[in-house]
Amino acid sequence: MIIHHQNYTIKSTLSHDETIMLFEDIVHKSYTSLGKLQNNSHCFVEKIDIKGYQPIVFKIPRYRNKRRWERFLSLFRSGEAFRNHDSMMYLPTIHLKAPKPLFAAEKRANGMVVESFFTYFFIEGKIASAENIPAVLEALSLLHQQGLTRSDPKLENFLISEDEVFFIDFRLKKPFLFSKTQCIFNLCKFFQTLPQEQRNLYIKPYQSPWFNFIYRINDVMIATRKMKKTLKKKLSKSH
């Protein structure tokens, strides 16, 4: 359901009245905070309690909202909040687990998204650890079989709840070109976030000449990004 309210466009899984009520509660901070899960320049994430609901996660993608390139792209597509909401909605249709979304809201100026946030039900569980790598790889493989990739594929972005793997902090993407290659890149990114000993344990069944080639390319890309960050820090200190 799409709702227009107070200069916001809202995409919701709830009824119109329930959506407006929750929107007003969140915007006016008429809730009990159960703790900030993240609060930095990249994003703001808070676990909140609103009477009559199980705990809710409220997230503002600050960096994406402010980044000029992201704003420009939102002229042609949905903003970050809507894309996260849609991803959480879509994942269960391919038999994978995600938090249940409530609603996402975005405000536009000159056609571009300048403010946005989204909400979903909090899931009790534990962040995936080394013992969960086989289950996480199985979930990732099922995603890649659909020609889809996920943003930021690292172990900390999977949650284990009642022995099931849940995707968290993610946005789905369906590459238009070279879908299989993009999925291999996504898998390489996951492996390259693991400590070397864990990588060595689980990578062998996925290796092929093409996988190894993409893995090396991704290694170079990671090293280049690190070098750029280091240079940027040095330059900022020198001024």
Side-chain angles (χ1 to χ4, degrees):
M1 176 187 293
I2 299 293
I3 300 167
H4 298 283
H5 181 68
Q6 292 186 2
N7 297 321
Y8 279 87
T9 301
I10 305 170
K11 185 177 281 192
S12 180
T13 62
L14 308 170
S15 69
H16 178 279
D17 290 348
E18 194 175 5
T19 301
I20 298 302
M21 182 197 74
L22 280 174
F23 175 90
E24 292 291 340
D25 282 345
I26 287 171
V27 167
H28 295 106
K29 300 190 182 299
S30 301
Y31 56 75
T32 302
S33 175
L34 300 176
K36 291 179 176 64
L37 306 179
Q38 196 170 348
N39 185 15
N40 52 39
S41 60
H42 187 78
C43 65
F44 174 84
V45 189
E46 189 171 21
K47 182 182 176 184
I48 63 175
D49 178 63
I50 295 176
K51 190 175 179 180
Y53 293 89
Q54 67 189 72
I56 292 169
V57 176
F58 162 49
K59 182 171 182 176
I60 304 172
R62 285 172 172 162
Y63 177 70
R64 298 277 181 178
N65 286 345
K66 292 179 181 178
R67 191 181 180 201
R68 290 179 183 176
W69 179 244
E70 292 287 339
R71 286 188 173 187
F72 173 73
L73 289 176
S74 69
L75 285 168
F76 314 103
R77 69 184 190 192
S78 298
E80 182 72 4
F82 275 18
R83 294 170 73 202
N84 276 267
H85 178 91
D86 291 343
S87 294
M88 285 187 282
M89 286 287 291
Y90 184 76
L91 209 59
T93 69
I94 55 173
H95 310 293
L96 290 168
K97 299 287 184 180
K100 184 180 177 182
L102 296 170
F103 71 89
E106 64 177 33
K107 183 190 286 186
R108 289 179 179 261
N110 301 315
M112 296 181 287
V113 174
V114 293
E115 290 182 31
S116 72
F117 66 88
F118 59 101
T119 60
Y120 53 92
F121 282 127
F122 178 80
I123 297 172
E124 290 289 349
K126 61 166 188 145
I127 297 298
S129 58
E131 64 182 353
N132 306 119
I133 291 173
V136 168
L137 281 169
E138 185 179 349
L140 258 182
S141 295
L142 289 171
L143 183 73
H144 294 159
Q145 285 168 26
Q146 301 293 322
L148 294 164
T149 62
R150 65 150 295 164
S151 57
D152 208 5
K154 57 185 178 183
L155 205 54
E156 304 96 280
N157 284 340
F158 294 90
L159 190 75
I160 307 301
S161 180
E162 296 181 354
D163 295 325
E164 292 190 291
V165 176
F166 280 76
F167 286 62
I168 57 171
D169 292 336
F170 73 100
R171 188 180 66 252
L172 297 179
K173 183 179 178 183
K174 192 172 183 68
F176 292 112
L177 296 172
F178 311 113
S179 175
K180 288 184 179 178
T181 299
Q182 292 292 337
C183 289
I184 294 173
F185 261 114
N186 205 230
L187 184 61
C188 287
K189 285 179 182 178
F190 173 76
F191 277 118
Q192 284 162 321
T193 64
L194 298 176
Q196 190 65 51
E197 63 274 14
Q198 292 172 7
R199 210 180 301 179
N200 293 340
L201 270 176
Y202 298 105
I203 199 171
K204 199 167 275 188
Y206 300 90
Q207 287 181 303
S208 67
W210 186 233
F211 176 96
N212 292 335
F213 175 69
I214 293 171
Y215 191 91
R216 286 195 293 272
I217 289 174
N218 207 44
D219 255 346
V220 171
M221 289 168 67
I222 290 168
T224 303
R225 280 197 295 270
K226 285 180 179 177
M227 186 174 68
K228 281 181 179 179
K229 282 183 182 178
T230 303
L231 284 171
K232 195 174 179 180
K233 283 181 183 177
K234 285 181 178 178
L235 286 170
S236 64
K237 285 179 181 179
S238 65
H239 284 83

